[in-house]
Amino acid sequence: MPGTELFGSEERKEINDVLETGMLFRYNHDQQRNGIWKARDFEAEVRKITGAKYAHAVSNGSAAIAIALASAGIGAGDEVIVPPFTFIATVEAVLFIGATPVFAEIDETLCLSADGIVKAITPSTKGVCLVHMCGGMADMDAIMEVVSKHNLILVEDAGQAFASSYKGVSTGLFGKAGSYSFDFFKIATAGEGGIFVTNDEHTYQIADAYSDHGHNHIGNNRGMEQHPVLGFNYRISELHAAVGLAQTRKVPAIREANRKNKKMLMEMLSATSGISFARLADPDGDSATFLNMMLPDTETAKRTVDEMNKAGVGGFNYWYTNMYHFVNQWDHLKEMRTASKLPVELTEHQDYANLNLPQSQEVIGRLISFGIRCTWTEDEVRTLAGNIRKAAEKAMATVTA
Ligand SMILES: *Cc1c(COP(=O)(O)O)cnc(C)c1O
């Protein structure tokens, strides 16, 4: 979680600016706030890094996906194609805006594949919620071809892919709307925070209003504003935005350090036969927050995880069984345990308890992801590489024996 590695005086300074005025609310109160607009500055910083025409800061990344879906015009009864490998917020966002998730296959990019999307299309498919996983990016040329051929609305959950890109375009900006997360575990954190992005003015205006009870934010009398759409409260506070601003300024340097450390770790591991890496659709666009190691098969990956646990090696995720990012762990979804009835329960949908996604099972079964730290020393990387190699070699020897 690189952002938090560098928490320091820059963050404190931005927070103090807000504490000086006591203006914790992001809108209005022009006189009291003394020129301090942290949410606006945070948004400007995100626009600078991503090249987005519009960016809107909100309370968290999960809210930002829901806002992206809703402002893109996706709602009740619409089918939205989603991946089985994502933080579950993607699926929750689709469910809670009233739409129906349809799971499709991922490939070795760890993201939905163009082929997987095509196979999941039905007459009710309205859009795709593509997730750029583990700091990388989906195979955008092929996906854009499918999206435009089938006239689908593309929304991107780039929750883990802030500052990554494909052929020079930031993840999150290929479709109608996109989202980034600034929670505690991402490349930059606001404590809690999210950013909605789009290049489309109308979509931005809807999102801006939707995320604040429908307010159009025109004029300086909040009570008398117009309400173009119904909305809800997904606002970010100035305190969170202040942290997000300071952290976002550090992202270019964090990304550079991540890339250097990831490259070093990959080079040290690549000599070991049986170890390969997930595919990056554009290696130059990697934000390098994870090294995604692929073992020959699921059994070997499980044994490698066991060997690493025995040896006390930390800092990795085995999503297939250990983490909350893969469909295998989503029992509440499979059993439709809901607090109250959701629109999806009134429509036809996949049998979520019996999804048939063999390719995704195979890819995630083989995957072990290591969080890259931007503050690693070369010695630390060398030690980690040695420990990974030992564990993988032991695991592979067991399998062939
Ligand atoms: C972190 C994350 C989210 C959720 O973001 P929050 O800010 O924690 O709400 C959504 N999608 C993906 C892919 C994520 O990694």
Side-chain angles (χ1 to χ4, degrees):
M1 40 186 195
T4 56
E5 291 176 66
L6 301 179
F7 196 92
S9 58
E10 299 82 3
E11 285 75 9
R12 283 195 291 275
K13 189 252 166 210
E14 298 301 325
I15 297 167
N16 270 328
D17 284 352
V18 177
L19 296 178
E20 295 288 330
T21 65
M23 185 42 64
L24 312 184
F25 190 64
R26 69 160 298 177
Y27 294 113
N28 310 104
H29 307 270
D30 295 32
Q31 242 135 48
Q32 245 172 295
R33 64 191 320 132
N34 199 23
I36 305 288
W37 299 90
K38 295 304 179 190
R40 286 187 190 176
D41 293 348
F42 180 25
E43 290 159 355
E45 200 62 32
V46 169
R47 286 200 304 273
K48 201 166 95 186
I49 288 183
T50 58
K53 225 162 156 181
Y54 303 96
H56 188 63
V58 294
S59 49
N60 57 66
S62 307
I65 311 166
I67 294 162
L69 290 162
S71 61
I74 293 172
D78 295 333
E79 284 186 6
V80 180
I81 295 171
V82 296
F85 179 51
T86 176
F87 184 58
I88 193 160
T90 317
V91 181
E92 292 167 336
V94 170
L95 289 171
F96 293 127
I97 56 135
T100 302
V102 175
F103 289 91
E105 292 274 33
I106 63 164
D107 63 15
E108 279 202 18
T109 61
L110 312 180
C111 307
L112 283 172
S113 67
D115 189 47
I117 292 170
V118 169
K119 289 189 174 131
I121 293 173
T122 78
S124 306
T125 308
K126 181 91 174 240
V128 179
C129 191
L130 181 66
V131 187
H132 300 281
M133 283 302 282
C134 300
M137 71 301 292
D139 201 346
M140 292 315 301
D141 284 348
I143 288 172
M144 292 313 288
E145 205 180 303
V146 167
V147 162
S148 70
K149 180 172 168 205
H150 295 272
N151 208 15
L152 304 176
I153 298 173
L154 177 65
V155 171
E156 293 162 84
D157 177 354
Q160 323 194 338
F162 180 60
S164 76
S165 60
Y166 176 85
K167 297 188 180 174
V169 177
S170 293
T171 56
L173 294 176
F174 285 85
K176 198 156 189 195
S179 63
Y180 306 116
S181 165
F182 288 76
D183 77 19
F184 191 67
F185 307 98
K186 301 306 202 286
I187 190 165
T189 184
E192 297 283 359
I195 294 262
F196 161 92
V197 282
T198 183
N199 284 329
D200 179 64
E201 185 182 1
H202 175 72
T203 306
Y204 165 69
Q205 282 167 349
I206 300 284
D208 177 68
Y210 181 80
S211 56
D212 183 22
H213 305 293
H215 280 268
N216 68 351
H217 304 129
I218 293 172
N220 53 17
N221 185 349
R222 184 170 169 84
M224 296 304 289
E225 284 176 11
Q226 300 297 305
H227 303 89
V229 291
L230 282 166
F232 203 55
N233 178 7
Y234 295 119
R235 290 187 309 262
I236 192 168
S237 83
E238 283 285 278
L239 283 172
H240 291 89
V243 180
L245 168 62
Q247 285 264 300
T248 302
R249 287 186 180 132
K250 297 178 179 180
V251 163
I254 293 173
R255 182 174 53 189
E256 203 182 308
N258 281 353
R259 285 175 176 170
K260 185 174 130 267
N261 289 341
K262 177 170 173 175
K263 185 159 173 266
M264 202 160 31
L265 187 56
M266 273 176 89
E267 281 169 3
M268 291 174 186
L269 289 174
S270 57
T272 306
S273 74
I275 290 183
S276 63
F277 305 104
R279 186 163 79 82
L280 282 159
D282 177 5
D284 294 337
D286 186 15
S287 66
T289 48
F290 285 97
L291 174 66
N292 297 298
M293 182 170 86
M294 307 291 292
L295 279 302
D297 51 62
T298 300
E299 281 316 305
T300 314
K302 281 183 180 167
R303 280 178 221 264
T304 304
V305 168
D306 288 345
E307 292 296 341
M308 289 197 295
N309 284 335
K310 264 193 258 169
V313 181
F316 67 88
N317 297 325
Y318 186 53
W319 317 100
Y320 188 67
T321 52
N322 294 351
M323 300 293 289
Y324 198 46
H325 291 64
F326 191 50
V327 68
N328 290 2
Q329 280 80 254
W330 299 340
D331 289 339
H332 51 356
L333 172 72
K334 293 182 198 172
E335 293 162 22
M336 260 304 153
R337 296 199 301 259
T338 55
S340 60
K341 195 176 258 183
L342 294 177
V344 70
E345 296 176 77
L346 303 174
T347 63
E348 277 202 33
H349 58 79
Q350 282 173 315
D351 177 3
Y352 299 131
N354 292 292
L355 294 168
N356 182 29
L357 300 163
Q359 190 182 345
S360 304
Q361 293 288 343
E362 196 258 349
V363 169
I364 301 306
R366 293 167 51 212
L367 172 70
I368 304 175
S369 301
F370 295 84
I372 300 293
R373 292 181 69 84
C374 62
T375 52
W376 269 340
T377 63
E378 192 174 330
D379 274 352
E380 286 174 311
V381 177
R382 197 176 306 283
T383 304
L384 177 62
N387 289 338
I388 297 169
R389 191 183 328 113
K390 260 181 256 164
E393 279 171 352
K394 263 193 197 169
M396 286 188 269
T398 320
V399 171
T400 50

